[in-house]
Amino acid sequence: MINVSDQHAQHTPRSLIVTLYGAYGRFAPGPVPVAELIRLLAAVGVDAPSVRSSVSRLKRRGLLLPARTARGAAGYELSPEARQLLEDGDRRIYATAPYADEGWVLAVFSVPESERQRRHVLRSRLAGLGFGTAAPGVWIAPARLYEETRHTLARLGLDAYVDLFRGEHLGFPPTAEAVARWWDLAAIAKAHEAFLDRHARVLQAWERRADTPPEEAYRDYLLALDSWRHLPYTDPGLPARLLPADWPGTRSAAVFRALHERLRDAGAAYAAPEAE
C-alpha cells in the first residue's frame, strides 16, 4: 500500500520502536525478543543496526528494560515510566469524540536564573504537552490535560517550580482571538495537512480493497500511527468554536480513525511473535 522506501525517511527508528510498543508490544505476554524487533522494524524499512542502536538509546533513557523471554531469548520490555507515558498518550491518540468546552489548566512557573537549563526543559515539556503561551511564565491548555501534565512534571522533578490552576477565560478579547495568540494555529494546521498528504491516499487505497493482508496492514498502520501520535501533542484539541472554519484537524482525525479501524487488528496478526 505505502512505498516503504519513500516513507521510512519520515520516521526515525527510535520513534517507530516506541510506536510499535504502543500499538502491539505492550500487549505481548512477555518481553519482545530482539529478533522480533528486527523483523517488525524491517517491514517499515529499518535495518538491524539501526534497531539495535535505537533500542540502546531507549534503554539509556529508562524506557526499555532488558529481559529474557520464557524460552531464554534476549528481549526488551517497557519500564513502568514508559507504560505511564503510553497510557497518558492513549487518551489523546485514540480520542473519538469532539472536544467540549471544559475550561483551562494554567501552568504558572518561576525558575531561578541560576537554573536556567531547568527553565528551558520546563518550557519545552509544556510545549510538548500542547500548552500555549498566555503570558511570560503563564502557559495554558485545555483542562483535560491536567492529569498528564501533573504526571509529566512530577516525573521530571519540575513540579516544585510550577503552580497549576483550573479556570475560565473571562476576557477581555473574545476567547477565539486569544486562542489565536496562545497557539500558532497556522503551524498546527500545516501539521494536519502533512498527515493528510501522507495518509489520506493510503486510506483511499484500502477502501478500494476487500482483502486486508496482515503484513501490509501492519506496515501501513504502524507508519500512520507513527505520524499521527505526535499530532495530538502539537494540537491540544481545542473546541471547534475556537478554531478556523474547515479546520484540517477534523479531517486528519477521521483519516486516522478509519485507518485504525481497518488495519490495527489485521496488523496484529503480523506483529504476533513468530515461534522460536
Side-chain angles (χ1 to χ4, degrees), residues 130-150:
F131 276 71
T133 309
V138 181
W139 291 57
I140 188 167
R144 73 175 179 283
L145 302 185
Y146 162 73
E147 290 291 348
E148 184 177 359
T149 301
R150 189 177 186 89

Side-chain angles (χ1 to χ4, degrees), residues 55-258:
V55 164
S56 294
R57 292 189 197 101
L58 290 167
K59 184 175 74 170
R60 286 196 298 271
R61 288 181 56 194
L63 299 178
L64 290 180
L65 303 175
R68 293 280 173 178
T69 69
R71 297 190 180 185
Y76 287 90
E77 61 187 7
L78 292 166
S79 68
E81 174 188 343
R83 287 190 180 276
Q84 181 67 67
L85 287 168
L86 291 174
E87 288 167 9
D88 284 339
D90 286 350
R91 289 188 285 274
R92 300 195 194 209
I93 294 165
Y94 301 110
T96 56
Y99 293 117
D101 290 348
E102 57 202 340
W104 306 96
V105 58
L106 293 175
V108 180
F109 65 85
S110 177
V111 182
E113 183 63 23
S114 60
E115 299 182 71
R116 66 176 66 181
Q117 179 59 30
R118 281 190 169 268
R119 185 188 307 144
H120 172 72
V121 172
L122 179 53
R123 288 172 175 162
S124 297
R125 191 58 58 172
L126 289 172
L129 286 166
F131 276 71
T133 309
V138 181
W139 291 57
I140 188 167
R144 73 175 179 283
L145 302 185
Y146 162 73
E147 290 291 348
E148 184 177 359
T149 301
R150 189 177 186 89
H151 292 158
T152 300
L153 297 181
R155 185 177 69 251
L156 296 173
L158 297 170
D159 47 328
Y161 303 98
V162 183
D163 286 301
L164 298 176
F165 301 88
R166 279 183 172 157
E168 299 177 65
H169 181 245
L170 300 176
F172 288 93
T175 303
E177 291 182 15
V179 160
R181 293 200 319 270
W182 300 338
W183 284 276
D184 186 345
L185 296 181
I188 296 171
K190 187 175 179 180
H192 283 294
E193 295 287 3
F195 178 85
L196 288 166
D197 287 344
R198 294 181 193 177
H199 300 288
R201 63 184 175 85
V202 178
L203 175 61
Q204 291 165 3
W206 279 107
E207 288 174 337
R208 293 192 292 269
R209 295 180 62 168
D211 63 332
T212 314
E215 183 174 357
E216 290 182 55
Y218 162 83
R219 185 179 68 232
D220 284 356
Y221 180 64
L222 200 75
L223 292 171
L225 178 58
D226 193 60
S227 294
W228 173 257
R229 71 180 180 85
H230 303 283
L231 266 173
Y233 289 88
T234 302
D235 181 343
L238 300 167
R241 70 177 183 86
L242 302 179
L243 294 168
D246 195 28
W247 180 245
T250 305
R251 301 194 303 278
S252 66
V255 167
F256 173 71
R257 283 196 297 269

